Amino acid sequence: MTRRHHLRFLPAAIALLVLATVAAPSLSAQPSGTTVGIGVGPITAYPDEFESGGCEGRYVGFNVGAGRSWSNLVAIEGSLTWTGSFASSCTEANDALSLPAPMDGATYRRTSVGPRIPGETFWAGRIGAVLTPWTAGPVSPLVRVTGGRLWTKDLWTWTVGAGLRYGLGRQAVVLDVELWNLAYDVTRETWIYRETDDDELQSSEVVRLRPRPWFIRLGWELAVGR
């Protein structure tokens, strides 16, 4: 699965967000009191190192959160996110098993990460702020900035996103796009294959990777208190 394939969802989502920037501003639109919400959607540009066992798939995230208005413009929000995959494909791993053994003296490369990095599923907890500057009829744009941790991978993250909220009384439908910023080390080694002896390590380097997956989310919110 290529990066271009991963990003096929973005044009439609970005087009919806652009509509918010051209809407005529009106009153501030941050819901007052306490809100709870859920959301689901695809995750694109998923880090390769999370795809364990040589398998690739389509990735989806589920999000639950609660927020409390700080002012007419800003709310403080906490959330819990779970990710997983479906429609996995392991063709690359199967092809690798069918390859002949290398010749003596051939070089090959090996990449390794921390023991908790591989794996398609993770849990993340985050806290941050949601800015809702204005409304145009029932529609209001929003900006979200959060920070938190991928607990199952021992990684910190910070995210930035934007979206639209469509109000329906005490309820609302929300579409937003979040960019997650991650960072972790990868060890890249070059080895020489030996038929009758241990393989020889030729070189090794540690590289800092900074993948940036996108979470495109459709959600529902409910105001539950003041």
Side-chain angles (χ1 to χ4, degrees):
M1 185 178 297
T2 65
R3 294 295 180 188
R4 184 176 300 175
H5 177 74
H6 281 277
L7 296 175
R8 68 188 185 280
F9 300 100
L10 289 182
I14 292 174
L16 288 174
L17 299 184
V18 170
L19 293 177
T21 65
V22 300
S26 181
L27 300 176
S28 62
Q30 178 62 50
S32 60
T34 300
T35 61
V36 295
I38 59 174
V40 62
I43 299 179
T44 69
Y46 208 70
D48 293 339
E49 291 71 27
F50 289 6
E51 299 172 351
S52 60
C55 298
E56 295 183 347
R58 298 179 180 178
Y59 301 94
V60 63
F62 296 90
N63 190 87
V64 295
R68 180 71 180 177
S69 60
W70 183 267
S71 69
N72 290 334
L73 298 178
V74 180
I76 305 301
E77 180 184 80
S79 64
L80 181 66
T81 302
W82 175 89
T83 72
S85 68
F86 62 96
S88 294
S89 171
C90 302
T91 55
E92 292 184 3
N94 294 334
D95 291 344
L97 294 176
S98 65
L99 294 176
M103 297 180 59
D104 184 67
T107 61
Y108 64 93
R109 293 178 175 83
R110 179 185 298 166
T111 300
S112 61
V113 293
R116 302 190 68 177
I117 299 299
E120 299 170 349
T121 298
F122 67 78
W123 288 91
R126 296 177 293 146
I127 189 169
V130 181
L131 173 66
T132 310
W134 66 76
T135 181
V139 180
S140 53
L142 61 88
V143 177
R144 178 180 285 107
V145 179
T146 75
R149 187 166 179 80
L150 280 61
W151 297 107
T152 47
K153 295 187 180 294
D154 286 338
L155 295 177
W156 293 100
T157 185
W158 66 274
T159 74
V160 60
L164 299 174
R165 178 186 288 112
Y166 187 86
L168 300 167
R170 296 179 65 85
Q171 304 180 60
V173 176
V174 180
L175 173 66
D176 58 0
V177 180
E178 287 186 330
L179 176 65
W180 290 48
N181 295 269
L182 306 172
Y184 49 83
D185 292 333
V186 172
T187 301
R188 295 175 177 170
E189 299 173 337
T190 301
W191 290 78
I192 300 176
Y193 176 74
R194 297 303 182 191
E195 290 184 352
T196 59
D197 203 349
D198 293 336
D199 293 355
E200 300 175 11
L201 177 62
Q202 189 175 45
S203 63
S204 177
E205 64 172 344
V206 177
V207 179
R208 189 70 166 175
L209 298 185
R210 300 184 183 276
R212 294 181 174 180
W214 293 84
F215 188 7
I216 305 169
R217 184 172 60 207
L218 179 64
W220 169 82
E221 291 181 351
L222 174 66
V224 296
R226 296 293 178 182

